[in-house]
Amino acid sequence: MVAVWSYPWQLLSQDPAETRQEFDELGVTSVTVAAHYHSIRTLDPRSDDGLFESYEGGCYFDPDRDAFTDTRIDPPVNEVAGYDDPFGAVVETLREGGIDVNAWLVCFHNSKLGGNNPEFGVQSAFGDAHDHAFCPSHDDVSAYFEGVVRSLADYDIEVINLESLGFPSVFHGHGATFGHAKNHVVTNAAEEILVSQCFCSACRERAANHPVDFERAKDVVRDVVRNVLSEPTPQVRSLERLTETHPVLAELFDFRASVIDEFLAGVAAASGDVELTYSASDGLGRDPNDGWPAGVVLDRVRTYLDRIVALCYTDDPDVARRRVRRYRDAVEIPVDAGVTLDPGMVESESEWKTVVNNVRELADDVHIYNHSLMSKGHREWFDVTTPHAQQ
């Protein structure tokens, strides 16, 4: 199977028959469509009209209001080209051509939701509120995403693809009230995670039922971050070693994992018969053991997932192949490979095909990022097939 990620505004920009014909010519049999997404501004190089499209974060589907009675968060809805349910229109267009549709759901990273509901945002150890990042410790946040998943599961879709599943980074903002982020000190993933640790009231309340000294953990985070901020060079290079020095931080990260476990259990229940996949990219990176500082512990979350997408956004075929292999060794569920057309990572067709050829024998399916952003020339790259993985 060849699958692509795509955006509803691009898919609705031409006649439905032309869209179906394009995917047939490309050999695409499955499309993962942004259904609940962060704010975005895209460049569409194949557009005959304006090149740029901009949307606030929110829903591209028609939410079932009855699914949100347990949360105070109101789902923001984006219209596209006159469609009040653009996701539904895309599903109808693609399913008519026999193409499978998946819903792409970005979780806690959403400046529109955070700006509209600041009481549910991440709050740092220093009291900073971050309007682009929901904290998953809030019951209202969990109930909101259960409502999103329950609404999406009513569509004729195969899969709900989860992104940004872990506790969010405060360095990945799309805020409406500020521009370019500026930072001369915090420059590695370990230090970003420490600065991003949430100590909001919901975290404090939930931590009371977990074996962690929450206030002590907050004090340690403040002290470590103050040390980070005092020097121009990295002060923390390994969170594993830091947790050995400060065991309370290991307890804090275990608490984060318990929150994500509970969140994902609720989402899995809400999805019903629709499969859940996860594009693995939280915490320290994209390898199997990278998600734990954000609460995404693979051994725990795999219980609720039907598939994993190993993101192989690289021009190094050995790195890509090794990543897929590590996921296959770590989990018993199917493992797909995600590859990118981004020229900042893969400069040529030959490099891209080398990466694809190295992962397709191991992966169950290959997913290509991103159909809506690709040029006409990229169409020539799609003469790939994806046989089932060799176990």
Side-chain angles (χ1 to χ4, degrees):
M1 182 183 78
V2 177
V4 296
W5 283 282
S6 196
Y7 299 126
W9 51 91
Q10 201 282 333
L11 295 169
L12 294 171
S13 65
Q14 59 186 2
D15 182 82
E18 293 178 1
T19 300
R20 291 190 290 267
Q21 180 180 352
E22 177 188 5
F23 285 131
D24 181 62
E25 292 172 352
L26 293 175
V28 170
T29 56
S30 177
V31 182
T32 301
V33 183
H36 185 280
Y37 210 66
H38 54 65
S39 59
I40 189 171
R41 184 172 187 249
T42 61
L43 168 65
D44 180 358
R46 293 177 289 152
S47 174
D48 294 327
D49 299 314
L51 296 179
F52 292 92
E53 291 279 357
S54 299
Y55 292 94
E56 295 181 318
C59 306
Y60 292 94
F61 62 94
D62 184 18
D64 176 4
R65 300 294 170 172
D66 291 339
F68 295 87
T69 55
D70 292 333
T71 179
R72 289 169 286 175
I73 302 170
D74 188 42
V77 178
N78 288 333
E79 294 186 4
V80 174
Y83 293 91
D84 56 5
D85 185 4
F87 181 74
V90 170
V91 170
E92 182 178 351
T93 292
L94 298 183
R95 293 300 299 131
E96 190 171 322
I99 300 169
D100 290 339
V101 182
N102 309 316
W104 185 1
L105 194 172
V106 176
C107 295
F108 308 121
H109 166 49
N110 193 305
S111 53
K112 176 71 171 182
L113 282 173
N116 288 352
N117 305 274
E119 64 271 34
F120 304 125
V122 165
Q123 186 176 65
S124 79
F126 299 90
D128 306 293
H130 297 279
D131 68 359
H132 67 277
F134 263 173
C135 175
S137 289
H138 287 279
D139 291 338
D140 282 87
V141 171
S142 296
Y144 171 80
F145 283 103
E146 289 171 19
V148 169
V149 168
R150 196 170 290 112
S151 294
L152 290 173
D154 285 339
Y155 289 86
D156 184 13
I157 61 174
E158 299 296 316
V159 167
I160 295 174
N161 178 216
L162 302 175
E163 180 184 325
S164 299
L165 177 59
F167 275 78
S169 169
V170 302
F171 291 92
H172 192 48
H174 291 193
T177 58
F178 59 87
H180 297 295
K182 300 295 182 179
N183 161 34
H184 279 187
V185 179
V186 181
T187 57
N188 66 33
E191 293 180 347
E192 287 186 2
I193 287 168
L194 289 170
V195 177
S196 300
Q197 288 303 299
C198 183
F199 293 93
C200 70
S201 59
C203 282
R204 181 179 296 106
E205 291 172 7
R206 293 184 70 151
N209 298 317
H210 195 86
V212 57
D213 186 335
F214 192 71
E215 293 305 320
R216 172 60 182 156
K218 180 178 179 180
D219 290 341
V220 170
V221 168
R222 285 175 61 94
D223 290 344
V224 174
V225 170
R226 281 297 185 198
N227 185 49
V228 167
L229 299 177
S230 68
E231 299 292 339
T233 55
Q235 300 300 295
V236 178
R237 297 184 182 275
S238 169
L239 287 178
E240 289 90 343
R241 286 196 294 271
L242 188 66
T243 57
E244 292 172 1
T245 304
H246 301 285
V248 71
L249 294 185
E251 297 170 357
L252 179 66
F253 289 129
D254 186 70
F255 161 68
R256 304 293 186 212
S258 72
V259 173
I260 298 303
D261 289 353
E262 188 172 340
F263 170 82
L264 194 51
V267 166
S271 67
D273 294 332
V274 176
E275 290 190 350
L276 286 183
T277 68
Y278 166 52
S279 295
S281 182
D282 280 290
L284 296 169
R286 292 169 173 158
D287 281 327
N289 296 320
D290 283 347
W292 65 270
V296 183
V297 178
L298 191 59
D299 282 343
R300 297 167 69 155
V301 301
R302 66 182 179 180
T303 303
Y304 306 105
L305 300 173
D306 297 286
R307 308 178 79 90
I308 288 277
V309 183
L311 298 180
C312 303
Y313 294 174
T314 176
D315 62 355
D316 188 328
D318 293 331
V319 169
R321 185 178 180 87
R322 185 165 56 246
R323 181 165 297 156
V324 176
R325 170 55 69 189
R326 286 175 176 171
Y327 275 101
R328 295 206 74 87
D329 291 343
V331 298
E332 296 178 355
I333 58 177
V335 175
D336 300 337
V339 297
T340 181
L341 296 168
D342 183 350
M345 297 184 182
V346 183
E347 294 184 354
S348 69
E349 179 181 358
S350 62
E351 288 180 344
W352 188 77
K353 287 186 175 180
T354 300
V355 171
V356 172
N357 287 333
N358 270 265
V359 300
R360 66 180 184 175
E361 295 178 358
L362 284 174
D364 288 275
D365 293 318
V366 172
H367 300 251
I368 300 168
Y369 182 88
N370 179 304
H371 163 262
S372 292
L373 305 178
M374 73 184 198
S375 67
K376 291 180 180 178
H378 280 124
R379 291 174 59 93
E380 306 303 320
W381 297 20
F382 273 66
D383 58 340
V384 293
T385 58
T386 54
H388 285 294
Q390 302 298 314
Q391 300 293 338

